[in-house]
Amino acid sequence: GAVVSQHPSRVICKSGTSVKIECRSLDFQATTMFWYRQFPKQSLMLMATSNEGSKATYEQGVEKDKFLINHASLTLSTLTVTSAHPEDSSFYICSARRYLGASLNSPLHFGNGTRLTVT
Amino acid sequence: GENVEQHPSTLSVQEGDSAVIKCTYSDSASNYFPWYKQELGKGPQLIIDIRSNVGEKKDQRIAVTLNKTAKHFSLHITETQPEDSAVYFCAASTAQGGSEKLVFGKGMKLTVNP
């Protein structure tokens, strides 16, 4: 089946530093990837849509300069949290859509998430 | 925009019992409804999905039903096992010009007691 790999699974960084999270689709090409943020015991909040070869689309309230997204290839998207602060500590999850051709609503597969702790 | 409501927020059952999770959605244009299972510290895993041209879909112990008129859909798990314990999310999506966003419910924590 489809596999989405996310790395690292956990990261601890100091306030003011930047952290890069990678999301890879391992056995399919993904023209679109999504980045979510999840707080404890809460649902997934969509942060941005990453489109291969073009700029990401950010949801309202998400700072594009703080959460830099790059989707340089059909199998890799990266999220960089710049100048991280303790309030950025969260569980970040990427997902990739496996395109099923002309059919609508291709399945969305998730990575295993990255637990970011900013001290 | 789309709004997905999910209930109950928690459910505890005995092993072997059935569990039902219900969701409602607001946008009648939504046409795709996946269900995800999330275990502690992991990302959500797609377990089953249903499209608006189908009323019911079954995969072993898991089944999903969709009522487009009432705008609600449900996940049914039969013969529950302890490994079914997890948080389950429903979601709805509308395909609009290729831009398909999933809107998630708030999740339901299922505990299956041995």
Side-chain angles (χ1 to χ4, degrees):
Chain A
V3 177
V4 175
S5 174
Q6 189 171 339
H7 178 79
S9 57
R10 291 179 176 272
V11 59
I12 300 173
C13 70
K14 291 186 177 180
S15 186
T17 61
S18 295
V19 173
K20 179 184 283 188
I21 303 169
E22 292 187 349
C23 180
R24 295 180 184 273
S25 57
L26 296 185
D27 62 353
F28 64 97
Q29 294 182 331
T31 55
T32 304
M33 291 186 176
F34 302 85
W35 287 94
Y36 291 82
R37 184 173 181 177
Q38 187 177 34
F39 292 101
K41 298 183 179 181
Q42 292 191 25
S43 190
L44 293 85
M45 182 190 78
L46 179 64
M47 299 174 64
T49 302
S50 171
N51 302 296
E52 187 269 336
S54 64
K55 291 184 179 180
T57 304
Y58 290 81
E59 295 300 301
Q60 190 173 8
V62 178
E63 300 176 57
K64 61 180 67 177
D65 293 332
K66 181 161 189 65
F67 299 100
L68 299 179
I69 291 173
N70 183 276
H71 194 154
S73 77
L74 286 171
T75 58
L76 173 65
S77 175
T78 60
L79 169 68
T80 301
V81 183
T82 63
S83 187
H85 291 283
E87 57 266 31
D88 298 325
S89 298
S90 190
F91 193 51
Y92 293 88
I93 315 173
C94 72
S95 64
R97 187 177 301 284
R98 185 174 194 163
Y99 185 59
L100 294 182
S103 62
L104 299 175
N105 307 118
S106 304
L108 195 63
H109 298 278
F110 286 83
N112 267 331
T114 297
R115 173 71 59 192
L116 171 63
T117 304
V118 184
T119 60
Chain B
E2 175 66 277
N3 182 49
V4 177
E5 299 286 341
Q6 185 172 350
H7 58 94
S9 57
T10 61
L11 178 64
S12 182
V13 300
Q14 289 299 122
E15 183 176 1
D17 289 350
S18 295
V20 180
I21 310 168
K22 298 180 180 181
C23 288
T24 60
Y25 61 99
S26 61
D27 189 348
S28 57
S30 289
N31 54 15
Y32 175 63
F33 308 91
W35 286 86
Y36 288 87
K37 174 185 180 183
Q38 187 177 27
E39 298 177 342
L40 191 62
K42 296 186 178 181
Q45 177 187 9
L46 177 68
I47 56 172
I48 195 168
D49 57 10
I50 191 168
R51 304 181 192 281
S52 59
N53 60 345
V54 176
E56 185 174 356
K57 184 176 178 180
K58 190 174 182 179
D59 183 4
Q60 298 182 338
R61 297 187 295 110
I62 293 174
V64 59
T65 59
L66 171 65
N67 184 326
K68 289 190 293 182
T69 303
K71 293 206 282 288
H72 65 70
F73 55 115
S74 301
L75 178 71
H76 304 251
I77 305 174
T78 58
E79 301 173 30
T80 54
Q81 301 167 3
E83 49 266 38
D84 293 331
S85 297
V87 178
Y88 291 81
F89 291 95
C90 62
S93 172
T94 306
Q96 293 178 340
S99 176
E100 303 159 26
K101 292 184 182 178
L102 278 182
V103 177
F104 285 86
K106 291 188 175 181
M108 188 210 77
K109 183 178 181 180
L110 174 66
T111 303
V112 179
N113 301 303

